[in-house]
Amino acid sequence: MKIHSLDVYVVDLPTIRPHHLAMHTIVTQTIVMACMKSEDGIEGWGEVATIGGASYCEESPEAIKLNIEKYIKPLIIEKNPINFDALSHMIGTHVKGNYFAKALVESAMVDLVAKTKNVPSYELFGGQCHTSLPVAWTLASGDTVRDIEEAQNYLETKRHNIFKLKIGKGNPKKNVTHVIKIKEAVGDAGSVRVDINQAWDEVTSLYCIEALEDGGVDLIEQPLVRWNNEGMSKLSSRFKVPIMADESLGTLHEAYQIAKHRAADVFALKVPKAGGLTATKKVAAVAEATGISMYGGTMIESSLGTAICAQLYSTIPEMTFGTELFGPLLFKDNVTVNQIEYENFEIKIPNGPGFGMEIDKEKLKHYSREFVSSLS
Ligand code: MUC
Ligand code: MG
């Protein structure tokens, strides 16, 4: 089998409500999709998402597309995608960084190979440990009453019992009060967690985390700026409530440094941050080897990207903190024919072939920025 073509699409999908983070408010989420065809016309599809152009990380959706087309695609055309790990390694010797772009290309290769073998992609990663995983919802309307209503509704309908609040923007003390009110309303029926998205300094973190810990919050995600592993290490040893690394954790080497300095109690795995599925398994191995707990993160992917992460996370035995693979639920519309299923507070892991999602090409044509004449 040979890679015959690779097309990349930047796709803008509207969300059901504004989603407030420290660095950006999402009203339209931009995802990047790739279609890789073999010489006999079998299609492998991949997806990555990032948040707020270049405001969450260095790679914007436009940069992902451009760098794949100009620098990665020529390296792999005519190559056999079955060697996806070797090809990813070869790409890494020619292209520095660009982890989201690399993850997108690898996911398309994996989908193509698994479809050719007519197996789910997770079979290429050691097989499944989980057929479903717990799934958190982010309460990010910015309004306490609305957030409490949303949480209570999801508890009643058994859709989510884990709630994450994005509290990096605005007054830290007011935000802590907002979170504690939500924890009081939810009680023991749900887990309440916070994500600061790097917005606090160490002094702010000390008094805010103490209040959150006393208020019953279960997990503190990335309070400090991504480079401050020393500070994250101090917070991890000072508080009982676990501290999670998100933006500070990307590559395998960053995973090793965080583990070595105990700069987190929990890793937020994300396939694009690590540079792909294979790399994410290696990051998970560092966590496993050093007794760090794991959480299946999201960059707010649509249904295909969510299936990619879900299938990979399903191969990791100890996903102690569950996942936050709620992306498709935040979109008004998705670009797949079939949809991700959620049931009993969990996401059901899609079952192949490949990542198990069929692309809706009419929808893709509608939401893609590019002229999609190449779509059959
Ligand atoms: C992040 O920082 O974790 C994941 C869930 C959410 O609401 O935002 C993202 C990004
Ligand atoms: Mg985060």
Side-chain angles (χ1 to χ4, degrees):
M1 183 182 23
K2 283 184 184 157
I3 299 169
H4 178 68
S5 67
L6 178 62
D7 294 306
V8 185
Y9 303 100
V10 178
V11 181
D12 297 305
L13 292 169
T15 59
I16 53 171
R17 60 145 168 76
H19 195 75
H20 298 280
L21 290 89
M23 79 304 287
H24 179 72
T25 298
I26 306 172
V27 287
T28 301
Q29 172 65 330
T30 302
I31 61 167
V32 192
M33 296 179 72
C35 177
M36 181 179 283
K37 284 189 191 160
S38 65
E39 75 272 34
D40 46 10
I42 301 175
E43 291 179 359
W45 282 87
E47 179 196 329
V48 290
T50 185
I51 292 170
S55 66
Y56 193 96
C57 66
E58 293 85 348
E59 286 173 83
S60 66
E62 298 79 10
I64 293 168
K65 175 177 160 65
L66 182 101
N67 285 335
I68 290 175
E69 287 174 346
K70 186 150 176 68
Y71 300 109
I72 299 180
K73 179 176 167 178
L75 298 169
I76 57 170
I77 290 293
E78 296 297 307
K79 300 281 190 315
N80 187 343
I82 196 136
N83 303 314
F84 59 86
D85 193 18
L87 289 178
S88 293
H89 182 75
M90 181 270 287
I91 291 167
T93 62
H94 292 86
V95 179
K96 300 292 169 240
N98 287 282
Y99 298 105
F100 283 54
K102 289 170 180 169
L104 177 55
V105 171
E106 193 209 33
S107 62
M109 288 198 273
V110 168
D111 193 50
L112 178 55
V113 172
K115 278 181 180 155
T116 308
K117 292 177 175 293
N118 199 27
V119 296
S121 297
Y122 56 70
E123 287 198 13
L124 306 178
F125 291 89
Q128 258 191 332
C129 305
H130 314 276
T131 55
S132 66
L133 281 164
V135 62
W137 175 252
T138 298
L139 299 167
S141 75
D143 177 79
T144 310
V145 174
R146 189 164 168 193
D147 280 356
I148 290 175
E149 274 169 17
E150 225 174 85
Q152 280 168 342
N153 173 32
Y154 291 145
L155 283 168
E156 273 161 35
T157 53
K158 292 197 167 195
R159 209 178 80 176
H160 306 278
N161 56 7
I162 304 171
F163 302 103
K164 163 160 147 175
L165 284 114
K166 312 290 287 183
I167 56 166
K169 196 174 169 185
N171 180 302
K173 279 189 180 158
K174 276 194 190 151
N175 288 341
V176 167
T177 309
H178 166 71
V179 174
I180 291 172
K181 277 190 190 147
I182 291 168
K183 177 61 196 169
E184 279 166 7
V186 163
D188 292 339
S191 170
V192 173
R193 304 164 178 192
V194 294
D195 188 356
I196 296 97
N197 284 115
Q198 318 182 60
W200 291 347
D201 57 15
E202 287 184 47
V203 178
T204 310
S205 297
L206 286 180
Y207 68 79
C208 286
I209 297 176
E210 190 170 280
L212 291 165
E213 186 173 271
D214 292 346
V217 168
D218 289 323
L219 186 62
I220 312 287
E221 181 172 343
Q222 198 69 48
L224 303 179
V225 65
R226 63 185 302 274
W227 51 260
N228 193 356
N229 278 342
E230 222 176 308
M232 288 281 279
S233 179
K234 282 190 227 159
L235 298 178
S236 302
S237 55
R238 183 174 178 129
F239 293 105
K240 282 202 203 96
V241 59
I243 308 291
M244 182 156 77
D246 183 11
E247 288 92 326
S248 57
L249 171 70
T251 64
L252 178 61
H253 309 291
E254 287 168 348
Y256 170 69
Q257 288 302 326
I258 293 172
K260 187 175 169 190
H261 299 290
R262 204 69 200 186
D265 306 296
V266 185
F267 278 180
L269 303 175
K270 287 181 184 175
V271 172
K273 283 193 309 180
L277 296 114
T278 313
T280 304
K281 282 284 274 199
K282 292 182 186 172
V283 169
V286 171
E288 191 182 333
T290 53
I292 288 176
S293 301
M294 279 177 268
Y295 176 70
T298 182
M299 289 301 296
I300 314 193
E301 293 88 6
S302 81
S303 34
L304 174 65
T306 298
I308 292 168
C309 295
Q311 281 211 4
L312 198 271
Y313 301 156
S314 80
T315 70
I316 297 169
E318 301 286 338
M319 291 297 291
T320 316
F321 282 82
T323 78
E324 57 178 11
L325 293 175
F326 64 82
L329 301 166
L330 191 68
F331 293 107
K332 272 194 189 139
D333 202 1
N334 278 290
V335 289
T336 48
V337 174
N338 56 327
Q339 301 305 322
I340 300 283
E341 291 173 43
Y342 296 87
E343 197 180 86
N344 216 9
F345 304 118
E346 304 215 322
I347 176 171
K348 287 165 85 176
I349 312 301
N351 278 306
F355 293 111
M357 305 309 290
E358 191 191 334
I359 304 303
D360 184 329
K361 296 198 176 157
E362 287 312 311
K363 290 263 177 76
L364 183 58
K365 280 181 189 165
H366 181 71
Y367 291 111
S368 172
R369 282 186 207 172
E370 284 75 30
F371 181 61
V372 281
S373 62
S374 58
L375 291 176
S376 52

